[in-house]
Amino acid sequence: NCNVGIMQWSISENKVGAGVLIRTLRQVESSKGEPKVGDIVMVHCETSLEDGPLVDSTRERKQPLEFQVGGGDVIKGLEVAVQRMQVGQLVEVTVPHIYAYGTRGRMPEIQPEATIVLKVELLEIISHHS
């Protein structure tokens, strides 16, 4: 159900990811499905501040990011977005601080309580959790 250009999750008490805004930049049709908790995925991810400056880019480093969905190794906003993506899809994700770097930030690049913008491409679902 990711065919719309913008999706926003409504705020509810038990909905992880409420307030994370995902905008599809490139839609694909994939038979591989969406990653689930426990799957290992590979993505390219560019992190920018809400007002524009690029903070980090796996694409510029030519080193994709590999992580286990739900493993806590990346910010929650990235995990929320990836679970709603297809392999090959490119999205822009606006992540409020509670699903990014919180009240501490990631100094000096990301200030406390900063909203960040991620450009994420799901390259591969490396392994499916059974």
Side-chain angles (χ1 to χ4, degrees):
N1 65 8
C2 204
N3 293 334
V4 294
I6 294 181
M7 294 174 33
Q8 184 168 9
W9 286 270
S10 59
I11 296 174
S12 66
E13 305 215 356
N14 60 358
K15 182 71 173 175
V16 173
V20 173
L21 183 68
I22 301 175
R23 182 167 66 98
T24 299
L25 302 176
R26 182 179 66 229
Q27 183 65 41
V28 295
E29 295 300 323
S30 173
S31 61
K32 297 180 181 176
E34 298 172 340
K36 308 283 186 258
V37 171
D39 290 352
I40 296 174
V41 297
M42 183 180 297
V43 301
H44 265 310
C45 184
E46 296 177 351
T47 305
S48 299
L49 300 178
E50 191 174 31
D51 57 2
L54 184 66
V55 174
D56 187 32
S57 172
T58 62
R59 195 175 298 282
E60 283 184 5
R61 289 195 310 269
K62 296 179 176 37
Q63 187 175 11
L65 175 64
E66 187 178 310
F67 65 94
Q68 183 177 24
V69 179
D73 296 327
V74 298
I75 62 169
K76 197 68 172 172
L78 179 56
E79 290 192 348
V80 166
V82 164
Q83 291 179 70
R84 290 159 175 83
M85 294 177 69
Q86 300 284 325
V87 172
Q89 187 175 12
L90 179 66
V91 300
E92 182 179 87
V93 187
T94 302
V95 184
H97 77 277
I98 59 171
Y99 296 114
Y101 295 99
T103 57
R104 298 178 62 170
R106 193 184 85 191
M107 301 300 282
E109 302 96 349
I110 301 173
Q111 298 296 313
E113 298 186 6
T115 294
I116 61 171
V117 178
L118 307 176
K119 189 181 282 186
V120 182
E121 179 181 13
L122 180 57
L123 300 172
E124 186 179 352
I125 301 172
I126 296 170
S127 68
H128 288 282
H129 181 71
S130 358

